[in-house]
Amino acid sequence: MKVYIYTEKYTSRFKYVAEHVFKHILREDVIFFRDIEKARQCKEPLICYSRTVTLPNAINICPHGLLFQSGIRKQEIAVSDWDDTRMFFQTGYGDYDVPFDIFSASFYLLSRYEEYDAPVDEEGRYKKENSLAYRNGFLDRPVVDEWAYKLEGMLVKKFRCTPMVKIGYRVHPSVIIDNYYKYRHCSVLTNIGKLFKKFFSGDFKSFNKQLRIMLYIDKDPYSNIKEITDFHYESDLMPSFFVMVKKGKKDCRNTYTMFYSLRRSLRRMFVTGLHPSYYSDSDPKKMAKELKKLEGSIVKNRVSTNLFHNFRFEIPRSYESLLKIGIEEDFSMGYPDAVGFRAGTCTPFRFYDIKHESKTRLQVHSMVFCDYMLRNMGVKPSEMDNLLKPLIDRVKAVEGQLCCAVSNCALSDSGRWQGWNTPLSYVYRYASLLETHDKKSAEHLAK
C-alpha cells in the first residue's frame, strides 16, 4: 500500500514523524504533496493534514501546530481515552476523521520534547515523574505504534486496500558488564572489610565462599560468560554485550582486569558496545578515550553502539556527545526505575535534534526492561512474570522490537541476585517463542 499525504505546510518535523509512522512502523511507502487539486483527484489512500480544508476522498486530520513550530514552546496538554489507548493534542472536531493530531503527538514523544531543559534528579537524569506518559498512565504502552496501526486500519477500511504484511517482531537482548569480578581483583582492604562483616554477622557460608574464591579454589560468580551464553542460547537468542572499560569513584570499586577468555569471546562471537563510566557521559573526550580502549584492547574492532551507565544521560547533550565520537546506535531510552516505553514506541527511530531542527544519524532503541529497572522498582523475582509479559505482548501486537538487558551480576545467582536466574529465563523464553508462535503456544512451551 502506498499512502499519499496532502499538507499545506511541509516541514522537517512533519517529514520526520510521518516517515517514522509509515516507513518504519507500518512498512508502507509515503508520498507528500501540496497541490490541493491533485489531492482532490487522488484515488489512492490519502491523508489530508490541513486546518483549512477537509476532503471527502481522504482521512482528514487537523494539525495541532507543533510540527509547524521551531524550538521548544510550552505546550498545554490534556490526555484522554481513544478506543483502547490514550491520546493528546485533541483537534478532531467537525468533519475530521481522527480526534487528535496523531503526527504532533507522536513527534512530541519521539523527539523527547518534554526533556529539553527539564529538571533532573541528583544523578542528572530526567525523572519519570515529570513525563507525560508516566503521569497519565500510558508508559507501559507503545502508543505511537498503536496510533499508527489504528490509522492504517482507517485507511484500509476507507480505501479497501491491502496493508503490507508485518513480520517485524524481534527480541534484542543485551548483556551489561559493569564488573567482571565480585571478589577477585578487589583491593585487599575491600575484601578484608567484606570478610569481617560476614564473619561478625555470623554469615559463615558466605565467608567461606568468598575466601575460596579469593584463594582461586572456586570460580568468581561474576566471571560467568559461559553461563550467560547458555542462558540466551536456551531461548535461541544472541545477545549483544555492553562493556565498561574504566572505573571511577561512582562505579564499582573493583579494579577492572579483563580475562583473556572474556576478550576472546567478545571478539569472536558477539557484537560489543560501549557502556560509559559514571562521569564520562558529560564529557565526550572521556567517552572517546573509553571507546578507543574498548576498540583497541578488547574487541579489536569498530564499536558503534552504546548503553549509558545506570541510564544516566541527558537530552540532547548526551546524544550530541555520542554523535561526536561516532556512535550510531543507542539503547538507553528507558528510565532507571520504570519499565515501559519512554519515547512511546518500540520501533527504532532516528534522534531528532530540536536545537538544529534536523534528523540525526543516531538510531535510538527503546529499552523496555532490564534487571536494573526491576531492582530499583522493588520487583521480586516471583513478580516478574505478571509485570513483563503484558509488555512483551504489546510489543508483539505492533510487530515492534523488544529490547531488554541483563547484567552478568544478575545472572550470577549470588548475593542480592539469588533467585533471579530462573524467572528471567522464563521471561526471555516467552519473548523468544513469540517470534514464531502465538501467545498460547508460547505460554505452553515456556513452562
Side-chain angles (χ1 to χ4, degrees):
M1 181 172 73
K2 190 175 291 186
V3 179
Y4 292 79
I5 301 180
Y6 165 74
T7 180
E8 296 156 341
K9 194 172 182 180
Y10 182 71
T11 66
S12 60
R13 289 185 177 189
F14 183 54
K15 180 177 185 291
Y16 163 78
V17 72
E19 287 185 344
H20 179 74
V21 167
F22 288 104
K23 289 187 176 181
H24 303 305
I25 296 178
L26 300 176
R27 286 89 173 175
E28 306 284 6
D29 292 330
V30 60
I31 298 173
F32 305 91
F33 59 91
R34 298 171 61 185
D35 186 334
I36 187 62
E37 291 306 318
K38 185 177 178 182
R40 287 194 174 103
Q41 296 169 14
C42 184
K43 304 297 183 183
E44 302 296 327
L46 174 67
I47 292 173
C48 177
Y49 188 69
S50 170
R51 286 178 173 177
T52 59
V53 298
T54 57
L55 299 173
N57 61 323
I59 297 295
N60 294 282
I61 300 174
C62 182
H64 165 270
L66 181 68
L67 301 184
F68 304 148
Q69 299 170 1
S70 60
I72 301 293
R73 303 184 190 181
K74 185 177 181 181
Q75 304 293 331
E76 297 296 332
I77 300 177
V79 177
S80 57
D81 294 330
W82 182 44
D83 288 345
D84 58 348
T85 185
R86 312 303 299 280
M87 68 173 179
F88 58 97
F89 290 153
Q90 294 89 330
T91 58
Y93 309 104
D95 295 329
Y96 291 100
D97 298 292
V98 183
F100 73 111
D101 184 350
I102 285 179
F103 298 117
S104 287
S106 297
F107 178 81
Y108 183 86
L109 294 172
L110 292 170
S111 67
R112 306 312 302 134
Y113 194 97
E114 63 189 357
E115 296 193 32
Y116 281 75
D117 302 318
V120 296
D121 66 11
E122 63 278 2
E123 302 285 336
R125 303 174 295 200
Y126 179 71
K127 296 185 287 187
K128 69 177 188 298
E129 290 81 6
N130 292 332
S131 76
L132 184 73
Y134 182 82
R135 294 198 315 269
N136 290 277
F138 63 88
L139 182 62
D140 61 343
R141 305 193 69 118
V143 289
V144 174
D145 304 74
E146 292 175 353
W147 297 336
Y149 274 82
K150 287 182 181 295
L151 182 57
E152 184 186 55
M154 295 171 74
L155 289 165
V156 168
K157 183 177 180 180
K158 185 176 182 69
F159 296 98
R160 298 181 181 180
C161 50
T162 303
M164 182 70 71
V165 176
K166 313 297 193 300
I167 50 172
Y169 172 75
R170 58 216 179 275
V171 184
H172 192 294
S174 299
V175 177
I176 300 170
I177 300 183
D178 284 334
N179 170 28
Y180 196 52
Y181 304 102
K182 186 173 184 178
Y183 299 119
R184 288 180 190 167
H185 303 285
C186 284
S187 70
V188 175
L189 290 177
T190 298
N191 268 328
I192 290 175
K194 290 179 179 179
L195 287 171
F196 268 101
K197 185 176 180 180
K198 290 170 182 175
F199 181 84
F200 287 109
S201 66
D203 188 1
F204 298 113
K205 183 178 179 181
S206 295
F207 177 89
N208 289 332
K209 183 69 176 177
Q210 180 181 343
L211 199 58
R212 289 176 64 86
I213 293 169
M214 291 170 61
L215 295 173
Y216 288 80
I217 299 172
D218 289 344
K219 180 183 176 183
D220 193 297
Y222 289 179
S223 302
N224 56 348
I225 293 297
K226 184 181 185 304
E227 290 80 0
I228 289 170
T229 55
D230 290 345
F231 172 89
H232 288 86
Y233 289 168
E234 286 173 4
S235 300
D236 293 323
L237 296 173
M238 176 68 77
S240 299
F241 280 73
F242 290 92
V243 181
M244 183 182 292
V245 297
K246 184 181 183 301
K247 295 291 181 179
K249 292 180 180 178
K250 287 285 187 176
D251 302 310
C252 182
R253 295 180 182 179
N254 293 11
T255 302
Y256 200 90
T257 305
M258 289 297 229
F259 272 177
Y260 172 72
S261 60
L262 173 62
R263 296 199 301 269
R264 183 177 57 185
S265 296
L266 293 179
R267 290 177 192 173
R268 185 180 59 192
M269 300 172 61
F270 303 108
V271 174
T272 304
L274 178 66
H275 191 50
S277 59
Y278 186 86
Y279 287 111
S280 66
D281 82 290
S282 59
D283 189 339
K285 291 184 179 179
K286 289 182 179 179
M287 285 181 63
K289 288 182 180 179
E290 293 175 19
L291 178 62
K292 185 177 179 180
K293 184 174 182 180
L294 178 63
E295 291 176 332
S297 301
I298 298 173
V299 298
K300 298 291 185 181
N301 205 344
R302 184 174 180 271
V303 171
S304 61
T305 59
N306 174 79
L307 199 167
F308 283 108
H309 183 45
N310 292 356
F311 298 93
R312 187 175 183 268
F313 69 101
E314 186 179 351
I315 290 176
R317 177 182 52 79
S318 299
Y319 278 177
E320 290 171 348
S321 296
L322 293 182
L323 288 165
K324 284 180 182 177
I325 65 173
I327 293 292
E328 297 174 354
E329 297 182 79
D330 179 69
F331 289 80
S332 312
M333 187 51 68
Y335 292 108
D337 52 357
V339 297
F341 308 91
R342 179 169 173 170
T345 187
C346 55
T347 302
F349 60 98
R350 298 274 288 277
F351 174 61
Y352 187 92
D353 187 349
I354 295 178
K355 286 171 61 178
H356 299 96
E357 292 297 346
S358 63
K359 179 174 70 174
T360 71
R361 67 178 184 277
L362 183 68
Q363 186 94 326
V364 180
H365 301 259
S366 297
M367 183 60 69
V368 181
F369 67 86
C370 74
D371 59 323
Y372 181 73
M373 296 174 182
L374 297 170
R375 194 186 74 203
N376 288 340
M377 292 170 65
V379 175
K380 298 176 182 177
S382 59
E383 300 169 338
M384 284 184 207
D385 202 35
N386 293 332
L387 175 67
L388 299 180
K389 280 172 65 177
L391 295 175
I392 297 169
D393 291 341
R394 285 170 183 157
V395 175
K396 171 61 178 175
V398 295
E399 295 296 330
Q401 176 182 259
L402 178 71
C403 287
C404 48
V406 65
S407 68
N408 63 316
C409 304
L411 294 182
S412 68
D413 207 28
S414 67
R416 61 183 176 181
W417 298 108
Q418 198 161 18
W420 281 62
N421 203 310
T422 299
L424 279 171
S425 177
Y426 172 77
V427 169
Y428 272 57
R429 206 156 57 241
Y430 176 81
S432 176
L433 286 168
L434 285 182
E435 289 196 55
T436 53
H437 299 278
D438 61 19
K439 181 179 177 181
K440 186 176 180 180
S441 298
E443 287 179 335
H444 175 74
L445 293 172
K447 291 180 180 179

